[in-house]
């Protein structure tokens, strides 16, 4: 941050927001709040994770909460200085991921986080990191991400871990084709009534995942079930006690 402010003559940082919840993207944000007085803006489907990370069994969580000053809605547009910032849901590497589009110096710029990066080998088809434990849905995920990128047609893409790049329409359509083939391959491999049960490891889970209680103290937990079938289903839950 000090280097950024020194080299680019940044006088203050008004706000910080996050592409997704992973610790390597959020863990030091408290320094911006403490040292710069920055506001924290969090996308709506990540708000509870940032506020209560102990309630979730997800990878790359941080061991302390982050207070959100502003909850960003899907499709919300924020006017800041001379820029209009548009925030939206952009699943890919994880369901808990936001996208951001704005215009800088007359060019449409899209911030995509960890969903896709500048290709090391330009001749290869664009793809993304598939990690089901991040929460991934075969009919969404990178298919949704690729369609969003085609819809917005960014002139510049700013990913999280590589330098910026300028994708062509053909490149983005190739990305969509890869995402659709990924869905088809996974569907052929998974012997379930719906293949999402093979990648959705949180289709049934306890909320909160961790709970602190004194001996003899009562507390409540929820069993949350996600129906991945294309029809109504009946679920029976039995609690097993162990000494």
């Amino acid at each position: 941050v000090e280097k950024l402010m020194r080299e680019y003559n940044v006088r203050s940082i008004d706000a910080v927001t996050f592409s997704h919840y992973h610790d390597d993207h959020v863990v030091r944000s408290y320094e911006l709040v403490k040292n710069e007085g920055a506001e924290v803006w969090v996308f709506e489907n990540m708000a509870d994770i940032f506020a209560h990370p102990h309630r979730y069994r997800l990878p790359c969580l941080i061991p302390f909460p982050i207070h959100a000053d502003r909850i960003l809605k899907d499709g919300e547009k924020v006017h800041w200085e001379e820029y209009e910032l548009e925030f939206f849901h952009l699943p890919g590497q994880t369901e808990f991921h936001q996208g951001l589009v704005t215009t800088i110096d007359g060019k449409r710029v899209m911030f995509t986080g960890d969903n896709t990066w500048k290709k090391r080998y330009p001749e290869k088809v664009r793809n993304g990191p598939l990690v089901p434990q991040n929460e991934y849905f075969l009919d969404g995920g990178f298919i949704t991400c690729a369609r969003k990128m085609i819809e917005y047609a960014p002139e510049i893409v700013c990913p999280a871990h590589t330098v910026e790049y300028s994708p062509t329409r053909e490149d983005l359509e190739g990305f969509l084709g890869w995402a659709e083939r990924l869905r088809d391959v996974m569907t052929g491999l998974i012997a379930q009534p719906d293949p999402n049960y093979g990648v959705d490891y949180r289709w049934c889970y306890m909320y909160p995942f961790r709970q602190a209680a004194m001996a003899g103290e009562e507390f409540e937990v929820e069993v949350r079930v996600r129906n991945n079938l294309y029809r109504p289903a009946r679920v029976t839950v039995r609690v097993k006690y162990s000494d």
Side-chain angles (χ1 to χ4, degrees), residues 19-39:
S19 58
H20 57 298
Y21 68 82
H22 284 167
D23 53 3
D24 59 322
H25 293 258
V26 306
V27 69
R28 299 185 66 179
S29 59
Y30 70 90
E31 295 178 23
L32 295 176
V33 176
K34 179 180 178 181
N35 299 334
E36 304 298 329
E39 290 188 357

Side-chain angles (χ1 to χ4, degrees), residues 38-64:
E39 290 188 357
V40 173
W41 298 357
V42 174
F43 192 71
E44 57 184 341
N45 82 334
M46 296 183 268
D48 194 53
I49 301 176
F50 277 87
H52 309 286
H54 64 280
R55 295 180 180 178
Y56 290 83
R57 186 191 178 201
L58 291 168
C60 305
L61 295 173
I62 58 176
F64 54 84

Side-chain angles (χ1 to χ4, degrees), residues 112-129 149 156-167 171:
T112 58
D114 280 0
N115 285 339
T116 178
W117 304 300
K118 181 178 175 63
K119 292 188 291 187
R120 178 177 296 180
Y121 305 104
E123 70 278 5
K124 291 192 174 183
V125 175
R126 181 166 302 283
N127 56 32
M149 294 183 75
I156 299 174
V157 172
C158 294
H161 290 286
T162 65
V163 297
E164 73 282 355
Y165 63 92
S166 297
D171 178 40

Side-chain angles (χ1 to χ4, degrees), residues 85-99:
L85 311 176
E86 181 177 350
F87 298 91
F88 49 90
H89 187 214
L90 191 68
Q93 185 194 49
T94 169
E95 182 71 10
F96 304 108
H97 201 296
Q98 78 170 12

Side-chain angles (χ1 to χ4, degrees), residues 98-153:
Q98 78 170 12
L100 168 59
V101 162
T102 189
T103 299
I104 301 175
D105 295 335
K107 293 184 179 295
R108 184 183 292 269
V109 181
M110 188 173 189
F111 295 82
T112 58
D114 280 0
N115 285 339
T116 178
W117 304 300
K118 181 178 175 63
K119 292 188 291 187
R120 178 177 296 180
Y121 305 104
E123 70 278 5
K124 291 192 174 183
V125 175
R126 181 166 302 283
N127 56 32
L130 176 64
V131 184
Q133 284 190 324
N134 282 327
E135 190 141 312
Y136 188 87
F137 302 117
L138 292 175
D139 292 318
F142 291 116
I143 292 178
T144 299
C145 179
R147 287 175 176 168
K148 282 284 188 182
M149 294 183 75
I150 291 172
E151 174 189 348
Y152 283 102

